[in-house]
Amino acid sequence: MNRLIIVVPCFNEEEALPITIPALSGVLNRLISGGKIAADSAVLYVNDGSRDKTWEVIAAAHEQDAHIFGLNLAGNVGHQNALLAGLEFAMPLCDMTVSIDADLQDDIDVIEEMVDKYIAGADVVFGVRNDRKKDSFFKRCTAQGFYKFMKILGTNTVYNHADYRLLSKRAMEALSMYQERNIFIRAVVAKMGFETDTVYYKRGERTAGKSKYPLKKMIAFAWDGITSFSNKPINMVTGLGIFIFVCSIIAAIYSLCAHFFGQTVSGWTSLILSIWFLGGLNLFAIGLVGQYVGKTYIETKQRPRYLIKESLTDQIEK
């Protein structure tokens, strides 16, 4: 029997977990009863430094259900690192994992289909949204723009796929070999090259609580993904610099010709605007390079991506 561990990163999910926990336990029990996964399969909740009673809710559920376990991280390390903590902990203990967010906007009913595709030979099964009707117009447009921009930059991501996926043991072992601190898991998984498959589902409403990804965090997450997986932004700025340099040469030639034929070239406003434009471009280019230098600085320190403060996992490891 294949042992499955469902990994659920949690940050301030006190309101959602009373709905999420029985829902995922029900899916797990159905798969066990159907003979598709081992009886000792589990759900692993990873508390990412929540400020509410998320960990207390997980601990109470652990006492009541033998299939529920938890990791309590020492401080908030971010969604990607919390997810990675759960995957790395589960890796030696199971044959496959399914990662899903605690808000259950992703359809849990397709987990069985993911398991079927794993049994058929897939190492990675992506959960892909077949529509974004539940999203606001702004979020839908920005999300689609993000995926398209990532494709332009040469980053291999699966369109409309977030972090809802199944990974086999060997896919998890391969993922653990990527030791960068600024990790963008969805791009790493798509890049690994294992046998993949896809399940499609409709995106639902959040079960309870508030979104943990406001606009500021969404922009920061997108920027981290871009700068972690592509140096094309630097190449684009370099190309823009060359283009402006060529334009300045053309403008200088035009100015000399106009002066030679006795025509004066006035334009104090255009001169000042050009200075401001070039100054802004320089600052942007320096800041962009600084982002890459900063990421290199963080990587060279080799600091741990997460620390486990407490765990409720004694039985899962037996």
Side-chain angles (χ1 to χ4, degrees):
M1 273 297 175
N2 293 304
R3 190 183 196 192
L4 167 68
I5 295 181
I6 301 175
V7 178
V8 189
C10 307
F11 177 66
N12 291 344
E13 296 292 0
E14 175 187 358
E15 297 178 26
L17 285 178
I19 302 171
T20 301
I21 289 172
L24 288 177
S25 294
V27 171
L28 199 72
N29 289 327
R30 285 198 301 272
L31 291 173
I32 293 172
S33 299
K36 292 191 175 182
I37 60 174
D40 60 350
S41 296
V43 184
L44 178 65
Y45 294 91
V46 183
N47 180 37
D48 183 22
S50 299
R51 294 185 291 269
D52 61 5
K53 295 183 179 179
T54 294
W55 181 244
E56 287 80 356
V57 175
I58 295 171
H62 171 72
E63 294 295 327
Q64 298 172 6
D65 191 333
H67 293 292
I68 293 176
F69 301 91
L71 292 178
N72 190 20
L73 302 185
N76 178 250
V77 296
H79 179 271
Q80 296 290 279
N81 285 323
L83 174 56
L84 199 63
L87 293 175
E88 290 185 339
F89 183 87
M91 179 178 67
L93 305 174
C94 65
D95 301 289
M96 55 181 161
T97 60
V98 170
S99 57
I100 187 171
D101 290 340
D103 57 19
L104 292 194
Q105 286 187 273
D106 300 315
D107 185 5
I108 60 176
D109 290 333
V110 300
I111 292 178
E112 183 172 0
E113 189 178 349
M114 287 182 172
V115 172
D116 289 339
K117 290 182 180 293
Y118 164 79
I119 294 171
D123 285 295
V124 180
V125 183
F126 297 108
V128 176
R129 307 164 194 173
N130 57 13
D131 66 67
R132 284 184 169 268
K133 294 179 180 178
K134 300 293 184 181
D135 291 342
S136 66
F137 175 78
F138 176 77
K139 187 172 182 179
R140 184 164 59 250
C141 291
T142 53
Q144 291 174 346
F146 166 73
Y147 286 111
K148 291 176 181 178
F149 187 58
M150 290 291 283
K151 186 176 181 180
I152 292 171
L153 294 180
T155 301
N156 186 24
T157 55
V158 178
Y159 190 69
N160 273 344
H161 164 71
D163 286 299
Y164 186 28
R165 71 180 72 86
L166 179 146
L167 295 175
S168 68
K169 180 186 282 289
R170 69 174 179 175
M172 286 185 283
E173 290 171 344
L175 178 61
S176 69
M177 296 173 68
Y178 290 80
Q179 292 297 309
E180 60 257 38
R181 269 56 193 161
N182 299 286
I183 193 165
F184 189 51
I185 297 177
R186 66 185 69 173
V188 171
V189 172
K191 184 181 180 180
M192 290 193 301
F194 289 109
E195 187 70 27
T196 65
D197 211 328
T198 304
V199 297
Y200 295 93
Y201 64 94
K202 286 188 177 181
R203 178 83 162 166
E205 298 283 358
R206 178 176 250 278
T207 55
K210 297 179 180 179
S211 172
K212 305 306 181 295
Y213 268 92
L215 179 61
K216 183 179 178 181
K217 279 194 173 182
M218 286 174 59
I219 293 173
F221 180 69
W223 182 250
D224 279 342
I226 291 168
T227 55
S228 294
F229 254 82
S230 176
N231 61 357
K232 283 193 176 181
I234 290 182
N235 296 336
M236 291 168 64
V237 171
T238 303
L240 182 58
I242 294 172
F243 173 74
I244 293 174
F245 174 74
V246 172
C247 289
S248 68
I249 296 296
I250 295 172
I253 294 171
Y254 170 76
S255 178
L256 288 172
C257 290
H259 181 73
F260 179 77
F261 288 107
Q263 298 176 359
T264 58
V265 180
S266 60
W268 180 87
T269 302
S270 60
L271 177 63
I272 295 301
L273 289 177
S274 298
I275 292 172
W276 286 357
F277 173 72
L278 292 173
L281 180 62
N282 283 331
L283 289 175
F284 173 74
I286 292 170
L288 182 61
V289 174
Q291 288 285 322
Y292 283 92
V293 172
K295 284 181 177 291
T296 303
Y297 172 68
I298 292 171
E299 295 293 337
T300 56
K301 288 186 174 185
Q302 292 292 297
R303 289 177 176 174
R305 290 178 287 198
Y306 58 85
L307 295 172
I308 298 174
K309 179 180 178 181
E310 185 180 357
S311 65
L312 302 171
T313 57
D314 291 343
Q315 296 299 317
I316 198 174
E317 297 178 80
K318 293 182 179 179

